[in-house]
Amino acid sequence: MTNQNSASPASAPDVVKQRPPRILSGIQPSGQLTIGNYLGALKQWAALQSQYDSFYCIVDMHAITVPQDPAELREASVRNAALYLACGLETKHCTIFIQSHVSAHSELGWILNCMTPMGWLNRMTQFKDKSAKMQADSIGSGLFTYPTLMAADILLYQTDLVPVGDDQKQHVELTRDLAQRFNSMYGETFTIPNVMIPVAGARVMGLDTPTAKMSKSEKADGHAVFLLDPLDKVRKKIMRATTDSDRVIKFSTDPERAGVNNLLTIYQAFTERSREDIEAQFDSKGYGDLKKTVAEAVAEGLKPIQERYNQLMGEKGYIYEVLKKSADRANEVASTTLDLVRDRIGFVKPLR
Ligand code: AMP
Ligand code: TRP
């Protein structure tokens, strides 16, 4: 056995030079992902996967920043893995893993916590929104430091690109600031990641309240379309969506017309057609036609996802196998960065 504390580790740029560009992103486990999660995140993950070395995680440690039922959390994590695959992620391109299977996330999360100014966290709008809906004495400190764990997720993989919906932009900006701060304090260690927001579907709004983001935790029945909703229910929800009393079918930033704009945006994201094309299609049509057409496009988009999901849930052994292999790969990559960080900040290297 030798003590290797004097040996200098490979520097981050050396590590970075030897590999293809990387993506990392994640979603909190829930048996009920919405078309917002799909259009804001999963759909673009699938589109990007072949050009990048992609890491997609199921962020169960983020999920426990609010109370969770243990059995439901466990079930939701496996279901989400199946949904990732059902939405088109392929194991030959992607490492699909559960965040808590890679302990480096908690370790780097703690280290970053220690160097994150409270003022930076105080500015995070997601914390303000979430905490405003909770009783003051039930807000755990993890909800406040949530973005530093997210920064750890991203920085451990020397990530180049983070594809997320619009609401996560601020967290990725904080990650960049933290990486820059760490690099200037301790020397080049982390790759500075860029955020990627989809052109259509970056912010899918609630069908019942088109001025609020569609959220999987909102309880009202007509609010969200879930990826696993029976297709008839999907159609019904869209047919009941809030619109307005004008009869204009055009993309618009006017809050009064947010409902129609949301339906058009959902249609644009599912069909991948241009705005001009879509507006021309609905020229001189009514809201009933619009809703029917959008409902069909969404149902058609969800059908193959649901079929694949049902098939995968019948092969849980396969999902566990994917998660195991992926965790091994993720651990390997993450521990290389963590070793470098530990050395940089002055931790004694343990004897091996
Ligand atoms: P979450 O459900 O908060 O874990 O979000 C997981 C991913 O889905 C993130 O990239 C979010 O930005 C994205 N996302 C969640 N809700 C929406 C929405 N309504 N519109 C677009 N993207 C969303
Ligand atoms: N905070 C993200 C959300 O709620 C989920 C997430 C956790 C994430 N870690 C990440 C997204 C790393 C991108 C990269 O949507």
Side-chain angles (χ1 to χ4, degrees), residues 2-299:
T2 53
N3 184 338
Q4 295 164 1
N5 273 317
S6 54
S8 72
S11 74
D14 287 346
V15 176
V16 169
K17 258 185 257 153
Q18 296 156 10
R19 58 159 183 84
R22 287 216 181 108
I23 278 184
L24 179 131
S25 196
I27 301 181
Q28 295 186 48
S30 150
Q32 294 279 48
L33 297 190
T34 69
I35 57 168
N37 294 128
Y38 176 63
L39 299 177
L42 282 159
K43 188 165 182 285
Q44 51 165 355
W45 298 1
L48 292 165
Q49 63 183 333
S50 61
Q51 303 156 50
Y52 290 83
D53 183 14
S54 306
F55 291 79
Y56 293 125
C57 58
I58 293 146
V59 291
D60 53 351
M61 295 198 297
H62 279 105
I64 62 163
T65 56
V66 296
Q68 296 288 340
D69 174 88
E72 279 174 23
L73 178 61
R74 211 176 340 265
E75 176 73 17
S77 299
V78 177
R79 280 173 178 271
N80 271 31
L83 265 177
Y84 283 17
L85 292 165
C87 286
L89 299 189
E90 294 178 52
T91 51
K92 68 174 183 234
H93 299 303
C94 309
T95 304
I96 298 169
F97 68 104
I98 295 182
Q99 184 188 31
S100 66
H101 289 182
V102 183
S103 59
H105 291 243
S106 330
E107 288 186 54
L108 182 61
W110 174 254
I111 293 167
L112 294 177
N113 255 342
C114 295
M115 46 194 70
T116 306
M118 299 271 284
W120 290 12
L121 295 173
N122 265 329
R123 287 201 291 273
M124 296 294 113
T125 55
Q126 183 168 297
F127 174 73
K128 287 184 203 165
D129 293 347
K130 284 194 180 171
S131 57
K133 292 184 195 147
M134 297 169 74
Q135 301 267 10
D137 61 359
S138 66
I139 303 167
S141 57
L143 192 65
F144 186 62
T145 58
Y146 177 114
T148 55
L149 179 60
M150 180 162 159
D153 299 342
I154 295 168
L155 299 178
L156 275 173
Y157 298 87
Q158 304 289 354
T159 301
D160 299 282
L161 200 64
V162 185
V164 281
D166 188 57
D167 61 331
Q168 295 303 310
K169 205 168 148 197
Q170 196 185 29
H171 288 161
V172 180
E173 275 159 12
L174 182 127
T175 302
R176 288 170 57 88
D177 290 346
L178 262 177
Q180 266 149 0
R181 185 181 168 92
F182 191 102
N183 286 353
S184 68
M185 283 167 76
Y186 299 105
E188 276 306 298
T189 306
F190 296 126
T191 300
I192 311 296
N194 287 306
V195 70
M196 184 176 190
I197 311 281
V199 179
R203 197 171 180 82
V204 177
M205 311 306 272
L207 294 177
D208 58 344
T209 44
T211 45
K213 188 190 88 164
M214 183 182 284
S215 159
K216 60 194 178 202
S217 54
E218 176 58 56
K219 298 281 178 291
D221 194 46
H223 175 80
V225 173
F226 295 107
L227 297 184
L228 300 176
D229 272 345
L231 298 181
D232 273 350
K233 194 166 178 186
V234 170
R235 292 189 186 95
K236 271 194 199 127
K237 284 182 176 177
I238 294 174
M239 293 308 292
R240 286 202 320 257
T242 302
T243 48
D244 54 60
S245 52
D246 289 346
R247 300 197 59 232
V248 185
I249 306 184
K250 293 234 180 290
F251 288 90
S252 161
T253 50
D254 180 352
E256 297 294 320
R257 307 244 291 269
V260 169
N261 185 65
N262 193 35
L263 290 173
L264 286 171
T265 307
I266 292 170
Y267 187 60
Q268 184 193 3
F270 270 98
T271 58
E272 296 179 1
R273 288 173 44 201
S274 73
R275 288 180 165 216
E276 295 73 37
D277 235 25
I278 292 172
E279 287 184 351
Q281 178 185 353
F282 291 109
D283 192 31
S284 75
K285 294 266 165 51
Y287 286 173
D289 297 315
L290 170 69
K291 286 180 173 177
K292 235 186 249 163
T293 311
V294 176
E296 277 321 308
V298 175

Side-chain angles (χ1 to χ4, degrees), residues 300-348:
E300 204 176 294
L302 296 187
K303 193 165 178 253
I305 295 176
Q306 296 189 356
E307 284 169 359
R308 175 107 179 94
Y309 173 82
N310 290 331
Q311 184 197 343
L312 282 159
M313 285 306 282
E315 305 165 15
K316 278 207 183 143
Y318 170 71
I319 297 172
Y320 286 117
E321 207 178 291
V322 168
L323 290 173
K324 161 83 179 79
K325 273 199 193 132
S326 294
D328 290 347
R329 164 113 210 278
N331 264 305
E332 206 179 295
V333 175
S335 64
T336 305
T337 303
L338 187 63
D339 283 350
L340 180 61
V341 170
R342 293 169 64 95
D343 182 78
R344 291 280 201 249
I345 63 175
F347 286 175
V348 174

